[in-house]
Amino acid sequence: MNRLVLLLLFATTAVWTAAGSAAERPNILWITSEDHGPEMGCYGDEFATTPNVDALAKKGMRYKLAWSTAPVCAPARTTLITGLYPPSCGGQHMRSMAQLPESIPLYPALLSEAGYYCTNNSKQDYNVRPTGSLGWADSSRKAHYKNRDPEQPFFAIFNETCSHESKIRTRPHKQIHDPVKVRVPAYHPDNEDTRRDWAQYYDVVTQADATAGKLLRELDKKGLTDSTIVFYYGDHGSGMARGKRWTYNSGLSVPLVVYFPEKWRHLAPKEYQAGGVSDRLVGFVDLAPTLLSLAGVQPPEWMQGQAIAGKYETEAPKYMYGFRDRMDERYDFIRTVTDGRYQYIRNFNPHFIYGQFVSYNFQTPSTAAWKRAFDAGLCNADQSHFWNLKPAEELYDLQADPDEVNNLADSPDHQQKLGELRDALYQWCHDIRDVGFLPEGEIHSRSEGSTPYEMARDETKYPFEKIFAAADIATHRNPENLDQLKSLLTDSDSAVRYWGAVGILNRGGDAVNASKQALLAALGDDSPYVRVAAGYALGKFGDKELQRQGIECLIDVAPSKPGTNVFAAIAALNAIDKLDEKVAFAKAEIDKMPVGEIASPDKRYGGYPQRLLTKIQDDFKANASSR
């Protein structure tokens, strides 16, 4: 073989070697468990029994404060799968099924393009529809990284459901943790039901920890521990009431433990050390760009999170954000921000109580027992807050008040922090073009022929600043803005008119009676959402004749005829339910509502009107039997 051939062979081999080295990617394993917060030994909870995740934290690193961004499963998973805040793309409401633009693929598709074998075992439950493929090589109960080509890097999710909210209430149950030794949070009444459900919650977290241990041992048995980056996290706070579904730290805070083997230590977060704790704020919106960064893929500009590790790791953010919108059949609208020490909560539906009746949540014994205790006058102020109207603003010191029962929003010593976090939250809403300031149905109607994400960035379809300003005024209770609210009812934009009606409703009886002509005119508005807000205001606070007119408007908007829009029906039935015995005169008409004929764009949330109607009818029966 001559010298030239040898040189060519050497050069070719060098190129192949370099290419192979450059193409090498870490394996990535996500172990997730449902409905549990950082109630684990590695987070200092001595009552918890979680040896496997504790051991992972000892050789890896845990994050001191990680948020799921949304305090319930579908919006939280939507955040994960997109790398977007769901309020920026219409995916914030439970089972909203918003369409994504073609330009926004889901992260598994991007990882697949980078050569990864991507599996999901097995829950999806996203609130968005992609235009293209989801990107999973397999998404099922049989999905596993072992089915890949051995030379192919993998990204695998294993999602444990044994800790789900429904498991807290499963009976019979063999107790592991003693209910007597449970620490009852200050916001819960200390009774038998509360202690039993909390103890059972700790039991199912122990089961989830056992599953994590099994998966880690399997990884080790296959000889993959030294080549695999591992993330362990819960998908939001506990399934106990005021945990899951609520934007307190108890609903948003999750355990997040990461492990980087020596081979991939150069991809670890800058602050990574074995047994260490990171102060970096990290939310679910950060995990999609982090995955891409670990795979050597630059996260696309449209992703709204920050990579916490890998080639494209960013500097730590100053703030972290969260949200709550419609939870199953109940509307709500909350935005929140934290700097790690203080949490600011902005309630844009302060005319609704926190503890609205969500039928699924009320199946948990401690939830129903808490409401009974409140109705019986057995709850103190901290325990009663959940069942009362919300303030517009809340501020809590997570260090001094981890249960978040001492609202500092009116504290003279905390006005600077209140203003700082309020400004940060408002800027975030502006930056992401938060579509939550539209009634849910308008998110979809204004997006016709496009997508909510694209609509939100079209000023002609969504004049954000104008609508946001109306919402901001509406959801405080200062009476001096009443004339301005009345003027909002004549605006050309239906969302502005909606907030005008909500603002009058939010200010109570005096404001409603001083605005009755404007509200009566709003009963004939082109927008069903304006009519619902006006009808609810008159039905709740008007005199007998005004009440009747308001309620008749609500019944007309609700599913009183085939073809009713599902979003308008849910809004109207929510209002009817909250008016209690005031709607008794219309019982016969309500009972025959054809809820099965409502036009619903997706069957996943078409059943919510029936839940509301059933609640209204059950209340009719309960009121009749109590007479």
Side-chain angles (χ1 to χ4, degrees), residues 186-197:
Y187 49 81
H188 277 166
D190 189 347
N191 57 38
E192 182 180 353
D193 288 290
T194 299
R195 287 186 169 276
R196 182 177 59 180
D197 285 358

Side-chain angles (χ1 to χ4, degrees), residues 426-473:
Y426 284 13
Q427 185 63 50
W428 172 70
C429 291
H430 173 275
D431 290 345
I432 70 167
R433 302 287 294 183
D434 189 332
V435 298
F437 295 93
L438 294 173
E440 183 178 9
E442 289 200 15
I443 295 174
H444 298 277
S445 62
R446 294 189 189 212
S447 302
E448 191 172 347
S450 179
T451 66
Y453 181 88
E454 293 165 299
M455 175 275 293
R457 285 145 187 83
D458 183 341
E459 193 64 26
T460 63
K461 294 181 178 180
Y462 187 38
F464 174 83
E465 297 296 347
K466 176 181 177 180
I467 296 171
F468 175 85
D472 190 35
I473 293 168

Side-chain angles (χ1 to χ4, degrees), residues 391-601:
E393 296 182 301
E394 299 174 70
L395 179 70
Y396 298 99
D397 183 340
L398 298 177
Q399 180 175 306
D401 176 28
D403 285 340
E404 295 177 283
V405 294
N406 182 23
N407 184 7
L408 302 172
D410 294 328
S411 165
D413 294 337
H414 294 84
Q415 291 308 295
Q416 183 175 350
K417 179 58 67 173
L418 180 78
E420 174 199 333
L421 294 181
R422 180 197 297 130
D423 289 348
L425 185 75
Y426 284 13
Q427 185 63 50
W428 172 70
C429 291
H430 173 275
D431 290 345
I432 70 167
R433 302 287 294 183
D434 189 332
V435 298
F437 295 93
L438 294 173
E440 183 178 9
E442 289 200 15
I443 295 174
H444 298 277
S445 62
R446 294 189 189 212
S447 302
E448 191 172 347
S450 179
T451 66
Y453 181 88
E454 293 165 299
M455 175 275 293
R457 285 145 187 83
D458 183 341
E459 193 64 26
T460 63
K461 294 181 178 180
Y462 187 38
F464 174 83
E465 297 296 347
K466 176 181 177 180
I467 296 171
F468 175 85
D472 190 35
I473 293 168
T475 50
H476 287 283
R477 292 194 170 102
N478 42 327
E480 60 268 21
N481 290 127
L482 191 57
D483 287 341
Q484 188 175 1
L485 292 168
K486 292 180 189 178
S487 70
L488 295 180
L489 282 172
T490 62
D491 195 88
S492 60
D493 191 288
S494 56
V496 173
R497 299 197 301 275
Y498 165 79
W499 284 113
V502 168
I504 296 170
L505 164 65
N506 184 41
R507 282 161 175 77
D510 290 344
V512 168
N513 288 306
S515 310
K516 59 184 178 181
Q517 294 305 318
L519 290 171
L520 283 169
L523 296 182
D525 198 276
D526 291 340
S527 165
Y529 312 105
V530 177
R531 296 202 299 276
V532 167
Y536 181 32
L538 291 170
K540 187 173 180 65
F541 294 113
D543 59 32
K544 191 170 184 178
E545 179 56 31
L546 291 176
Q547 280 181 17
R548 192 177 190 95
Q549 291 184 65
I551 291 167
E552 287 175 345
C553 176
L554 294 173
I555 291 171
D556 184 63
V557 176
S560 54
K561 50 188 175 295
T564 302
N565 179 284
V566 68
F567 304 114
I570 293 172
L573 286 167
N574 264 278
I576 290 169
D577 178 50
K578 290 178 171 64
L579 291 174
D580 299 321
E581 292 191 348
K582 292 178 181 179
V583 301
F585 74 90
K587 179 181 182 301
E589 195 170 359
I590 292 170
D591 282 342
K592 64 182 182 183
M593 285 181 175
V595 294
E597 301 177 55
I598 295 173
S600 177

Side-chain angles (χ1 to χ4, degrees), residues 277-292:
V277 179
S278 174
D279 289 329
R280 177 175 179 138
L281 301 177
V282 54
F284 275 9
V285 74
D286 299 319
L287 295 191
T290 298
L291 279 176
L292 296 176

Side-chain angles (χ1 to χ4, degrees), residues 12 46 50 60 100 109 115 118-119 140 235 240 360 377 383 389 401 415 439 445 455 515 548 612:
T12 303
E46 296 180 358
T50 53
L100 287 174
C118 298
T119 60
S140 71
D235 72 343
M240 297 290 290
Y360 192 78
Q383 298 157 3
L389 293 179
D401 176 28
Q415 291 308 295
S445 62
M455 175 275 293
S515 310
R548 192 177 190 95
L612 289 160

Side-chain angles (χ1 to χ4, degrees), residues 59-294:
K59 72 174 186 175
M61 182 180 76
R62 68 176 173 88
Y63 284 87
K64 182 178 180 182
L65 185 62
W67 271 10
S68 57
T69 308
V72 72
C73 52
R77 281 189 172 79
T78 301
T79 311
L80 287 167
I81 200 69
T82 61
L84 295 171
Y85 291 105
S88 74
C89 65
Q92 72 270 31
H93 297 289
M94 281 293 284
R95 280 68 196 242
S96 49
M97 303 312 296
Q99 185 69 48
L100 287 174
E102 290 184 10
S103 59
I104 297 183
L106 305 181
Y107 78 71
L110 296 173
L111 281 176
S112 295
E113 289 178 9
Y116 272 79
Y117 181 77
C118 298
T119 60
N120 177 49
N121 189 332
S122 64
K123 194 168 185 178
Q124 293 185 4
D125 200 16
Y126 314 130
N127 279 347
V128 291
R129 293 189 187 94
T131 301
S133 168
L134 289 175
W136 298 118
D138 188 4
S139 181
S140 71
R141 293 183 180 180
K142 295 182 179 179
H144 201 289
Y145 56 82
K146 68 183 180 182
N147 299 321
R148 78 195 189 287
D149 181 327
E151 300 302 316
Q152 187 178 15
F154 69 80
F155 167 70
I157 299 176
F158 290 90
N159 180 68
E160 178 55 63
T161 62
C162 72
S163 51
H164 186 264
E165 168 188 10
S166 58
K167 308 303 182 183
I168 294 175
R169 55 180 179 250
T170 299
R171 305 288 192 272
H173 172 76
K174 184 178 180 181
Q175 287 184 349
I176 301 173
H177 293 84
D178 185 353
V180 174
K181 297 179 181 179
V182 164
R183 187 192 82 85
V184 177
Y187 49 81
H188 277 166
D190 189 347
N191 57 38
E192 182 180 353
D193 288 290
T194 299
R195 287 186 169 276
R196 182 177 59 180
D197 285 358
W198 266 115
Q200 190 156 330
Y201 163 72
Y202 276 91
D203 292 351
V204 296
V205 170
T206 296
Q207 294 174 34
D209 176 81
T211 298
K214 179 180 178 182
L215 290 166
L216 291 170
R217 287 190 295 273
E218 181 181 27
L219 191 75
D220 198 49
K221 186 176 180 180
K222 293 182 180 297
L224 293 168
T225 298
D226 293 337
S227 59
T228 304
I229 297 169
V230 179
F231 281 52
Y232 175 88
Y233 61 88
D235 72 343
H236 48 69
S238 82
M240 297 290 290
R242 222 201 84 155
K244 179 179 180 179
R245 297 184 184 86
W246 286 275
T247 54
Y248 291 106
N249 197 48
S250 54
L252 290 167
S253 183
V254 295
L256 175 59
V257 176
V258 299
Y259 168 69
F260 284 75
E262 189 61 38
K263 179 178 181 179
W264 299 114
R265 191 64 58 89
H266 62 283
L267 296 176
K270 294 176 182 177
E271 71 274 23
Y272 185 88
Q273 56 180 330
V277 179
S278 174
D279 289 329
R280 177 175 179 138
L281 301 177
V282 54
F284 275 9
V285 74
D286 299 319
L287 295 191
T290 298
L291 279 176
L292 296 176
S293 179
L294 292 174

